[in-house]
Amino acid sequence: MAVDTTTAAPSHPEGDEGGEEAVRPLLSGAPAEVEDEELDIRYAPYARRDAYGPMGRGPLSAAQVARLVLAGVVLLPLRLVAGVLLVVAYYLVCRVCTLFVGGVGEGRPRLQGLRREAVLRAGRVLSRAMLFVFGFYWIPVSDRSFPNAENSVSKLPLIGLISKCLGCIFVQRESKCSDSKGVSGAVTERLHEVSQDENSPMILLFPEGTTTNGDYLLPFKTGAFLARAPLQPVILRYPCRRFSPAWDSMDGARHVFLLLCQFANYIEVVRLPVYYPSEQEKQDPRVYANNVRKLLATEGNLVLSNLGLAEKRAYHAALNGLLCQS
C-alpha cells in the first residue's frame, strides 16, 4: 500500500492542523466569479504549489519560457524515444513469456516458474530505467521502525499486455464494479492469495483513489482492508522546486510534457513497518482503514481531508471556467 505525497510550500487552510479534517465543499462546484485564491482554499488538497500555477497554465518569466522551449526541443524528444523503446522492450518480454499460456484474454496470464521470474526481473530493471529516463536519477529509500511495533489501461497498445502480466486489477471509475465480482471482491481475492502463497506476487494499492498536492491525505477506500491481512504502509514524496510531478490538477498531456521537460525529478520512498490488524480492525474494515490512514498522516506530517474525486472534478471544472474567462 502506498500513498503519494509532494514536498512543496505548505498549503494548509487557515485553522487546519495535522490531525484535523479539512472542510468538505459542495459537490456542485464553485461559481465562475469565485477567485483563484478562494478556490485554492476550498479545494486545498488539489491546489498546485509549483512554478506553473493552476492547471499548469500560470504566468512564466522570460527565462522560464526560454528554459521550457529548450527542454521541449532537446530533452523531450530524447526522453520520448527512450521511453517508447523501453516500453517496446518490456512488451516483447511479456509477449515471449505469455506464448502458449492461458488467461491472457481474461486479463491475468497464469505465469509460473521461469516465465514469472523473467517478467518480474525485466520489470524491475526496465521500470527503474524508465524512471531514470524521466529524470528520477536518484530515489532515496528509507525504512522506519516503531518501538514494539477492465478498462482503458488494459486495452492500451503495448501497455495492456504488460499490465496483465504484472497482475493489475483493472478498475472502471464510472462503474461500481470492474467485473462480476466487483473491485473489492477482486482485491480481497488477490490479497488472500498473497497471504497464503509466498510465491504469489504482492499487490500494490493506492487507497485514496486519486492524487493530491502532497500536503493532505484523503479518505481511504475500504476494499484494500476487507481481506483483513497485514500490509506495509509506504509514503511516496516528490520534492520539487519548479514542477511538481504529483498529478493533482492538470490535464495528462500537459503534465507529461512538463515532466519530461524538467531535467531532474525527485522521489523519496518511506517504508513503514508491516501493520498487523487487531481483532477489532479485522471485524471492521473501516476502522482498519482509518487507523492506517491516521498512522500515515502522523508519519508523513499530512493533513487529514474528507474531500474526494467528486470535489477534485468540481475544482477542475471551476478552474477551467476561470481560465477560459481570463
Side-chain angles (χ1 to χ4, degrees):
M1 173 177 298
V3 175
D4 276 324
T5 67
T6 306
T7 303
S11 61
H12 305 163
E14 184 177 355
D16 266 354
E17 296 181 0
E20 296 181 355
E21 296 281 341
V23 177
R24 186 182 185 89
L26 298 176
L27 297 181
S28 58
E33 62 270 12
V34 177
E35 298 295 336
D36 288 11
E37 293 79 7
E38 297 179 8
L39 283 175
D40 286 352
I41 294 175
R42 193 175 190 185
Y43 299 96
Y46 311 118
R48 292 193 70 85
R49 304 295 175 183
D50 61 11
Y52 293 96
M55 304 297 287
R57 304 173 189 173
L60 299 176
S61 65
Q64 289 175 320
V65 171
R67 181 186 299 175
L68 191 58
V69 170
L70 180 62
V73 173
V74 178
L75 196 58
L76 178 64
L78 293 176
R79 283 180 166 172
L80 284 177
V81 172
V84 170
L85 290 176
L86 288 172
V87 171
V88 171
Y90 197 27
Y91 171 81
L92 293 176
V93 171
C94 292
R95 175 56 67 187
V96 171
C97 291
T98 54
L99 289 176
F100 312 111
V101 173
V104 177
E106 290 74 20
R108 191 187 176 194
R110 299 294 177 176
L111 300 178
Q112 297 179 347
L114 292 178
R115 292 174 185 260
R116 182 67 192 170
E117 189 68 17
V119 168
L120 291 177
R121 288 184 178 274
R124 293 190 187 104
V125 173
L126 295 177
S127 296
R128 184 62 189 93
M130 181 69 80
L131 287 171
F132 186 89
V133 167
F134 282 6
F136 294 95
Y137 307 124
W138 305 276
I139 303 179
V141 178
S142 61
D143 293 283
R144 296 186 183 179
S145 60
F146 300 133
N148 306 318
E150 186 72 33
N151 62 10
S152 56
V153 175
S154 65
K155 299 177 182 178
L156 286 175
L158 306 181
I159 302 297
L161 178 61
I162 292 174
S163 61
K164 291 177 181 178
C165 287
L166 291 175
C168 294
I169 297 177
F170 301 108
V171 177
Q172 184 65 36
R173 281 180 178 266
E174 307 302 331
S175 175
K176 291 297 183 182
C177 65
S178 58
D179 53 30
S180 59
K181 296 181 296 183
V183 176
S184 296
V187 171
T188 301
E189 179 182 296
R190 188 74 60 82
L191 288 173
H192 278 307
E193 290 181 12
V194 173
S195 62
Q196 296 173 6
D197 183 4
E198 61 180 11
N199 295 320
S200 181
M202 296 182 67
I203 181 171
L204 174 66
L205 298 170
F206 292 87
E208 292 174 287
T210 188
T211 55
T212 70
N213 57 22
D215 292 332
Y216 294 81
L217 197 59
L218 306 182
F220 284 0
K221 309 296 183 182
T222 58
F225 304 88
L226 293 174
R228 299 177 287 187
L231 55 83
Q232 180 173 31
V234 177
I235 301 174
L236 304 181
R237 299 184 183 278
Y238 298 92
C240 66
R241 292 184 179 179
R242 290 195 306 115
F243 173 73
S244 168
W247 192 354
D248 39 35
S249 57
M250 188 183 299
D251 64 85
R254 186 181 299 272
H255 182 90
V256 172
F257 173 76
L258 294 176
L259 177 70
L260 297 183
C261 286
Q262 183 158 267
F263 178 73
N265 294 295
Y266 302 94
I267 181 174
E268 298 174 354
V269 180
V270 180
R271 292 189 298 218
L272 303 181
V274 175
Y275 190 105
Y276 294 90
S278 64
E279 288 302 319
Q280 180 186 10
E281 291 169 332
K282 290 180 180 180
Q283 296 301 319
D284 191 340
R286 290 175 298 181
V287 174
Y288 190 5
N290 192 47
N291 288 344
V292 174
R293 179 173 175 246
K294 289 180 178 178
L295 171 66
L296 285 166
T298 300
E299 293 299 316
N301 193 28
L302 304 170
V303 178
L304 295 176
S305 170
N306 61 354
L307 274 64
L309 183 60
E311 290 84 354
K312 186 175 187 178
R313 289 174 172 169
Y315 176 58
H316 287 186
L319 278 180
N320 282 323
L322 286 175
L323 292 170
C324 289
Q325 293 176 9
S326 60

